[in-house]
Amino acid sequence: MSLYQQLPSIDKLLKTTEGAELVTQFGHTAVVNVCRSLIEQGRKAIKRDQQLPQIFTDVQHIINEIRHKLIQQQQVNIQSVHNLTGTVLHTNLGRALWAEAAQHAALTAMQQNVALEYDLHAGERNHRDNYISGLLCQLTGAEAACVVNNNAAAVLLMLATFAQGKEVIISRGELIEIGGAFRIPDIMQQAGCKLVEVGTTNRTHLSDYRNAINENTAFLMKVHSSNYQICGFTKSVSEQELVELGKEFNLPVITDLGSGALIDLTQYGLPAEPTVQEKWEQGVNLISFSGDKLLGGPQAGIIVGKKAWIERLQSHPLKRALRCDKVILAGLEATLRLYLQPEKLSEKLTALYLLTQPINELLAKAEKLKTALHDKLGNDYIVKIEESSAQIGSGSQPLAIIPSVAVTLSTEMSGKLTALLNHFKRLPQPIICRVEKEKIWLDLRSLASLERLLDTLKQL
């Protein structure tokens, strides 16, 4: 019998007791497709190696491999991980963790029909942003609000609505690039408006804006440079100054605030960050910001400002293309409602809780983590608790350091550290950390759940 003839037929595999069970569990089509793929791999291996692959020497081995591949098909690639990097709002790891209230609201929206565009009191159609607009007005003092799927979309919508075919004046020092090489000039180009740069990288004066104004100017724009800082011999123009200049020429001012702080972070010992309320009080016409950064909610782009301006945004064709779905809106509304009880915010808003955890709490968690790691790794690694430096993340205050605590792992054996890092990434819930000074640093400041981490380590 040739090697190829020793490969089982799909029909033979399906007629086994285990094969029939797989069909019942996963469906006929999926099982047949996996069988076909596996047998084709067997043919290629025979052609390459001139021998029957080990897996095909026993039917039970084949069935086990089919089952494994069918289970793999069901696994979502956006995998849950443990964030021990020390970066709390880690862009690559999904930014802000949702508060428990936001999770419950989103789950309800997933499982049930909701009054998304329906006014229960009037019994008629309503706008999907209305609930959140009212909340944002209450929290910020603005006249109205609009919600889209992220802050880049918010900036695009503002530019496309009010500046298409016109000029937008912005300081050269604020032509930022955000993650993924998306740049403010590129967004302006897509919106169909002309960028007018004023000033220099480090110094821009009010006179620079004044001299650039002409009959084709749409508005004056400020962009909060949250993901970098220019230090030394610098000068910038505040929103308040721009608003006064705008009044003189009957020009509006818009601000891309980015990080989306609705509270004074310094009351929690965190670095100062401009708030939405401050910009509104300074007279800015439209303010855009993110929902999944310092706000601590789901990904969204939020615009607050003058009612007449917001109404024009809501009626622009792009708004429908950029709008949020019911799950995001439910999670965002629940997040914003937490701000109505400011004394409880650091307890209930997950992102703020992580950023404000006391050092003694982090030390207690570090002791438990150290014990678990030592039990698993034995004497191959040196396990210590050390002071660490965490950061907010997502471009917020990049130079600001938040005191933290980490469990560090080091070894004198060559290759052991790399091997352990790879093992961390292969765990059912991978551990993402950082490497500095020839040590693995497991920073507790950014960890969502110590209990889940300890459960994961049982499989190390």
Side-chain angles (χ1 to χ4, degrees):
M1 182 185 295
S2 74
L3 293 175
Y4 292 104
Q5 288 177 316
Q6 294 180 49
L7 294 173
S9 67
I10 294 175
D11 187 58
K12 179 181 178 181
L13 292 172
L14 294 182
K15 285 182 177 179
T16 63
T17 302
E18 295 89 345
E21 289 173 355
L22 291 178
V23 170
T24 301
Q25 184 178 356
F26 297 99
H28 184 270
T29 300
V31 176
V32 168
N33 287 341
V34 169
C35 289
R36 187 176 290 125
S37 174
L38 197 61
I39 292 169
E40 180 59 29
Q41 289 175 29
R43 290 195 185 99
K44 290 179 179 178
I46 291 171
K47 183 178 181 180
R48 181 183 66 244
D49 305 326
Q50 295 302 305
Q51 65 179 24
L52 186 70
Q54 182 66 31
I55 189 176
F56 290 102
T57 59
D58 182 80
V59 172
Q60 190 59 52
H61 287 169
I62 303 172
I63 293 294
N64 290 342
E65 182 65 16
I66 294 169
R67 181 181 290 106
H68 174 70
K69 290 185 178 297
L70 287 166
I71 291 172
Q72 275 190 323
Q73 284 184 352
Q74 306 300 310
Q75 292 178 343
V76 177
N77 284 329
I78 300 180
Q79 195 172 351
S80 171
V81 301
H82 297 287
N83 179 8
L84 288 142
T85 63
T87 301
V88 177
L89 305 178
H90 201 302
T91 297
N92 303 135
L93 302 182
R95 290 188 177 166
L97 296 176
W98 291 25
E100 190 174 338
Q103 295 175 40
H104 288 317
L107 188 60
T108 298
M110 291 179 204
Q111 295 177 331
Q112 303 174 33
N113 291 115
V114 293
L116 178 64
E117 296 182 357
Y118 186 78
D119 188 325
L120 291 169
H121 299 292
E124 59 187 27
R125 183 169 182 164
N126 197 5
H127 196 286
R128 65 173 58 198
D129 288 358
N130 275 7
Y131 299 118
I132 289 176
S133 181
L135 265 175
L136 284 165
C137 292
Q138 185 177 352
L139 292 168
T140 66
E143 295 177 4
C146 171
V147 184
V148 289
N149 58 19
N150 63 23
N151 190 49
V155 173
L156 177 66
L157 181 60
M158 291 190 296
L159 293 170
T161 303
F162 299 108
Q164 195 167 39
K166 295 184 178 181
E167 296 180 356
V168 176
I169 302 174
I170 185 172
S171 169
R172 186 168 280 110
E174 296 173 7
L175 297 177
I176 66 169
E177 177 180 308
I178 59 176
F182 288 98
R183 298 173 173 177
I184 285 290
D186 297 336
I187 294 174
M188 287 192 175
Q189 184 179 24
Q190 290 299 315
C193 56
K194 181 182 178 182
L195 166 67
V196 177
E197 304 173 29
V198 296
T200 62
T201 301
N202 61 318
R203 291 181 68 82
T204 301
H205 304 270
L206 189 63
S207 59
D208 294 321
Y209 290 92
R210 179 185 295 275
N211 294 337
I213 293 173
N214 61 43
E215 67 280 356
N216 200 37
T217 301
F219 46 65
L220 310 176
M221 184 173 183
K222 284 283 291 181
V223 178
H224 177 44
S225 56
S226 59
N227 63 353
Y228 71 96
Q229 292 182 11
I230 300 175
C231 304
F233 187 55
T234 64
K235 175 73 171 70
S236 62
V237 179
S238 69
E239 277 90 346
Q240 197 157 8
E241 293 174 283
L242 279 187
V243 167
E244 292 304 314
L245 180 64
K247 288 178 180 177
E248 186 179 334
F249 288 88
N250 195 29
L251 286 174
V253 175
I254 70 169
T255 292
D256 171 7
L257 201 52
S259 54
L262 291 184
I263 53 171
D264 177 10
L265 295 177
T266 61
Q267 64 182 303
Y268 299 101
L270 296 170
E273 185 77 9
T275 66
V276 178
Q277 293 91 326
E278 291 170 1
K279 301 308 173 186
W280 173 252
E281 289 169 2
Q282 290 170 2
V284 177
N285 296 78
L286 292 174
I287 307 152
S288 75
F289 52 98
S290 297
D292 56 348
K293 294 184 180 180
L294 289 174
L295 183 67
Q299 178 183 299
I302 303 166
I303 308 169
V304 299
K306 302 282 187 181
K307 185 177 181 181
W309 284 65
I310 295 292
E311 287 176 348
R312 288 182 63 185
L313 292 175
Q314 295 286 20
S315 62
H316 194 280
L318 263 181
K319 173 55 169 64
R320 186 173 182 85
L322 301 174
R323 70 183 183 178
C324 296
D325 75 339
K326 63 177 183 176
V327 176
I328 295 297
L329 291 173
L332 181 58
E333 181 187 348
T335 302
L336 291 170
R337 290 194 178 279
L338 296 177
Y339 282 84
L340 299 175
Q341 300 174 356
E343 292 83 8
K344 296 291 183 180
L345 196 59
S346 62
E347 298 174 28
K348 296 183 177 182
L349 189 66
T350 306
L352 188 58
Y353 164 73
L354 293 176
L355 288 168
T356 59
Q357 289 176 95
I359 291 295
N360 62 334
E361 288 186 15
L362 296 176
L363 281 169
K365 292 178 180 179
E367 288 288 354
K368 293 180 180 179
L369 178 56
K370 177 186 175 184
T371 300
L373 286 167
H374 190 272
D375 290 345
K376 280 290 180 182
L377 301 175
N379 296 322
D380 287 350
Y381 296 86
I382 300 168
V383 187
K384 290 184 178 180
I385 295 175
E386 300 191 43
E387 292 181 358
S388 182
S389 297
Q391 59 181 354
I392 295 174
S394 291
S396 300
Q397 296 286 348
L399 300 183
I401 297 302
I402 304 173
S404 188
V405 176
V407 175
T408 63
L409 298 165
S410 59
T411 180
E412 295 179 356
M413 291 179 278
S414 177
K416 275 280 188 178
L417 214 59
T418 300
L420 183 58
L421 282 170
N422 290 334
H423 203 118
F424 278 165
K425 292 175 183 177
R426 290 196 299 268
L427 288 167
Q429 187 173 0
I431 295 172
I432 311 299
C433 50
R434 68 178 194 264
V435 179
E436 292 176 2
K437 304 174 184 176
E438 298 183 346
K439 295 179 182 180
I440 291 174
W441 291 72
L442 303 171
D443 195 308
L444 278 300
R445 173 72 66 187
S446 53
L447 178 64
S449 171
L450 177 64
E451 290 71 25
R452 285 200 295 271
L453 175 62
L454 295 178
D455 283 341
T456 298
L457 287 176
K458 292 175 182 177
Q459 302 173 65
L460 185 62

